[in-house]
Amino acid sequence: MRTYFHVDMDAFFVSVEELYDPSLKGKPVVVGGRPNERGVVSAASYAARKFGVHSAMPLRTAYKLCPQAVFVDGHPDRYRDYSHKVYDVLTSFTPVVEMASIDEAYLDITGTERLYGPPLRAAHILHERIGTATKLNCSIGISASRMVAKISSDQAKPNGVLWVIPGLEAQFLAPLDVRKVPGVGKVTEKNLHALGIRKVGDLAKLDDDFLAARFGKWGLALAGKSKGEDAGGWYDTEIGEDEGPKSISHEHTFGEDTADLDRIESTLARLSEMVGRRLREHGLEARTLQLKLRYSDFSTITRAHTPPRATQLDTEIFSEIRDLFRRNWKAGATVRLLGVHASGWGDSGGQMDLLGEEQHQKWKQTLAAADRLRDKFGEGAIGLASGMRGNFREKTHENPAGLPGKK
């Protein structure tokens, strides 16, 4: 039987901001942007959550609920910095670590009893080490199942430790809302409620065949999860066996809709940079590149193209995306949102013509050097000149480049 920890940093973005500005402590704080902007909440302090503010909520809605809150733009480089500090503590505790996001990780501590004692004692040791090294609070869930460990860390918040003893997983889960199950979003929750399923215990009583008939493979995964099993999606692989992303994308919503062609194309250049950076970080090359274009009236088009060979270079991505944009933009129409999406991993094998191949290799070397500078000095340290006018604040809540454990 295995023993897993799920470590989740408490109000991570807010807590890091409080380290830099102690006057924020105890106040309702919203990270993500200004209250008059179109963005969404990346994180909210526990004081702000009491007013109903939560992540992914529009900033303007958060302001209506809690006008006295302090709204902070956020500093992604700081969060990456502290994420690395947390990662260093985790990997010194056990070598089997997988960062699930910038502020949470799974650990396999099976067989460490002689080092740390029983699971609960080990968790308290780790909890203290993280606090000492980072001055941040975290919550730790312990279970023989990664999924249950994740749910138990959520139940332990803030700043707590919770161990679900082996054999009691289903009993622990039964009284919880079905929304607590990882992967159950608003749509699935609504469908389950329509069937009279509100608690995980209600789900566990249903026949596997019934759930499979209603929800397909996801229904079978739900059946397993309701009993405390690691089932479906990410849980089908072991810790450290992450197969990487199925796609990589970045989007930007303009503060005010624009028809300024230079600004639009410069923004596409910046988005292409962000996608290219993450492709190289994962060692991937994209065969399919896609443009997302949303106008002021919210009408949205997506257009994809497969270049002659797979790529991970900012300049090649931007060239393809710009071409897609120029062929599909209604000249003069105001744009609300732009997105760049990469998928269909392949191999860039084969050569271009001599001049094209020489340019490709030069850019490959240049961008590798640029990535090293970003690793050392932050994501804003260097960028394409073509993206300077379209530069925008990186979204705090997105899955950014430069995270620990991803290389």
Side-chain angles (χ1 to χ4, degrees), residues 5 93 113 115-126 142 163:
F5 284 2
F93 194 79
E113 290 84 357
L115 276 175
Y116 305 120
L120 196 58
R121 182 173 183 273
H124 281 290
I125 292 171
L126 179 59
I142 315 164
W163 180 23

Side-chain angles (χ1 to χ4, degrees), residues 16-309:
V16 173
E17 292 298 332
E18 288 175 352
L19 291 178
Y20 284 85
D21 183 1
S23 72
L24 296 175
K25 288 185 177 180
K27 295 180 181 177
V29 178
V30 175
V31 176
R34 300 299 165 181
N36 60 341
E37 293 179 345
R38 283 177 169 171
V40 298
V41 175
S42 298
S45 66
Y46 289 103
R49 294 180 199 182
K50 291 178 182 178
F51 293 88
V53 179
H54 58 78
S55 60
M57 171 184 284
L59 290 165
R60 291 170 180 172
T61 304
Y63 180 72
K64 289 177 183 176
L65 291 172
C66 189
Q68 69 272 39
V70 180
F71 285 77
V72 180
D73 287 341
H75 301 85
D77 283 336
R78 291 179 182 175
Y79 311 144
R80 271 187 285 263
D81 232 10
Y82 273 88
S83 185
H84 278 277
K85 291 179 181 180
V86 172
Y87 183 70
D88 288 343
V89 176
L90 300 181
T91 52
S92 70
F93 194 79
T94 175
V96 191
V97 176
E98 183 162 326
M99 297 296 291
S101 68
I102 194 169
D103 60 351
E104 61 175 324
Y106 291 92
L107 287 71
D108 186 341
I109 67 149
T110 308
T112 62
E113 290 84 357
R114 292 182 65 182
L115 276 175
Y116 305 120
L120 196 58
R121 182 173 183 273
H124 281 290
I125 292 171
L126 179 59
H127 191 276
E128 184 178 349
R129 288 186 184 181
I130 291 173
T132 300
T134 67
K135 309 302 180 190
L136 299 173
N137 292 333
C138 71
S139 296
I140 302 177
I142 315 164
S143 176
S145 152
R146 284 173 289 165
M147 187 212 67
V148 175
K150 179 176 175 63
I151 295 174
S152 62
S153 71
D154 182 63
Q155 293 297 105
K157 284 184 173 294
N159 200 30
V161 174
L162 179 60
W163 180 23
V164 179
I165 297 171
L168 298 181
E169 292 86 0
Q171 185 177 328
F172 164 71
L173 294 172
L176 302 179
D177 292 337
V178 288
R179 189 65 182 273
K180 291 287 185 180
V181 175
V184 174
K186 287 183 179 179
V187 174
T188 303
E189 180 187 38
K190 184 179 179 181
N191 292 335
L192 290 171
H193 283 181
L195 296 171
I197 304 165
R198 294 188 172 274
K199 303 295 181 181
V200 180
D202 300 332
L203 193 58
K205 293 174 185 175
L206 296 176
D207 186 81
D208 290 6
D209 292 338
F210 173 81
L211 287 170
R214 285 279 183 166
F215 301 102
K217 285 178 66 177
W218 174 232
L220 288 175
L222 277 177
K225 289 181 177 184
S226 70
K227 300 175 181 67
E229 300 169 4
D230 284 336
W234 184 84
Y235 295 111
D236 286 338
T237 60
E238 287 297 320
I239 290 178
E241 292 182 5
D242 183 15
E243 297 176 352
K246 303 297 182 187
S247 64
I248 288 175
S249 63
H250 283 281
E251 295 182 353
H252 175 64
T253 301
F254 291 102
E256 294 181 2
D257 300 344
T258 182
D260 183 333
L261 183 60
D262 287 342
R263 186 180 177 200
I264 290 170
E265 293 195 350
S266 189
T267 301
L268 289 173
R270 176 70 185 117
L271 290 167
S272 298
E273 272 190 291
M274 295 168 75
V275 169
R277 162 78 158 140
R278 286 181 58 205
L279 283 170
R280 292 189 297 278
E281 186 176 67
H282 287 280
L284 298 171
E285 295 182 320
R287 289 216 58 82
T288 302
L289 299 171
Q290 180 177 286
L291 165 75
K292 182 175 181 180
L293 173 59
R294 178 170 295 157
Y295 293 106
S296 296
D297 62 0
F298 284 87
S299 61
T300 306
I301 64 167
T302 56
R303 295 291 184 271
H305 182 247
T306 300
R309 72 177 191 177

Side-chain angles (χ1 to χ4, degrees), residues 346-366:
D347 187 345
S348 63
Q351 285 196 337
M352 307 175 181
D353 59 82
L354 189 60
L355 186 61
E357 183 63 28
E358 184 181 353
Q359 188 177 43
H360 174 87
Q361 292 302 324
K362 283 182 177 178
W363 272 113
K364 195 171 184 178
Q365 293 168 9
T366 299

